[in-house]
Amino acid sequence: MDTVNANLASVTEKLDRIGTNVEANMESVQNQLKEQERVNRQLRADIVETKERLNGITEQLEQMTHETSQEEQAEEMKKGIAEPDGVDRETKVVIAGGANPTNLKSVEIFSQSNGIWTPLQPMEDIHSGASSVVYNNQLFVVGGWTQSIEKLSLGAVHVDQSIPWENVPAELPVMLEGHCSVVYNGRLIVIGGLRALSNDFKCLDSILEISLEVPPSTTELTTMKQARRFHGVATFGDKIVIFGGAESLALKRSELALDCVVMYDISKNEFNELAPLPHPVSAMAIVKWGDENVIIMGGADSNDQPLNKVIIYNIKTQKSYELPDMKYKRKGCVAAVVKDTVIVMGGQNERGNYLKSVESFKFDRFTWEDLPEMNEARSHATAVA
């Protein structure tokens, strides 16, 4: 009898343990179901938010297209009075310098209406990893393995494509490549870059102000928290927003691509860190889109491998969204906007080949399409429209 009672007690204990385990498993399953339901709700909310953001971008595009059309009509009326018939007023893309792998002086201009790339007069100096700005309807190419700054009249080159480049009295304090430049109140602002001196390569954290007028002068405004080169910038009023880039101490040492986004208020001389990019990237193409968005295309990851990813980043919400991938991976590519079209040029692919290829993106089509190739392959060039 004692044996039977002991066996019954053992069975009862085992049943209790099984019951406890069943209850625990049921609770775990219920918790997993609740978590999955929460994740599903968040995904649905993210999808709705993404659709709303894309709708907002589309509305901005339509408004920009309408405003551009009105501005062009007004400009055409003015020019029709002030200029003789036959003057070409189409917005065109100019790409200058770069490397393939030799550092280049060559320049090309692209007409989207007829799909033709036309060589322009070469620059006086090589400019690889240069920056460029448009000021008073003149294209300024700044540095790029040189201290020199050269300019070309964009108005004149539409009439006479044989006009030469002019040297600017101002110059960079040192040879730079991989820096960025903007114009603020008639003065050139140069951000970061690699100091390219013999046996003395150093990634810089400086933000410089350079006068484009005579006499030239250079002032260091401030320094960034991180030195960087091959980053991207966009200006929004008094704000300069700095995206990604590569942090390196020497040219041949491994680089660390950055995902950080920093806003520099030039009027207050203050920095503000924004939400990071979804992935580290350097040597990418970047264009401003509307009043609060930036589109970032291609570039290189932390292993220096080319990318074809495209994101749009909103500086107010500090949120980014993926756009369709480009057709080709491009490290060291450049981009420009013509009306409602984003045009990306050149770079290097995953095999290290220098690219002539060009592709374009429109939001209404939401896909990338090939455009006619450039005459010359080039990477780390500079471009404007």
Side-chain angles (χ1 to χ4, degrees), residues 9 16 51 61 154 220 226 247 252 283 322 333 341:
D16 288 341
K51 287 181 177 179
L61 170 62
L154 294 177
E220 183 176 281
Q226 289 176 293
E247 186 179 26
K252 295 183 179 180
E322 291 187 358
C333 54
T341 304

Side-chain angles (χ1 to χ4, degrees), residues 137-148:
N137 205 28
Q138 295 186 98
L139 166 60
F140 290 79
V141 175
V142 182
W145 289 102
T146 178
Q147 292 178 251
S148 68

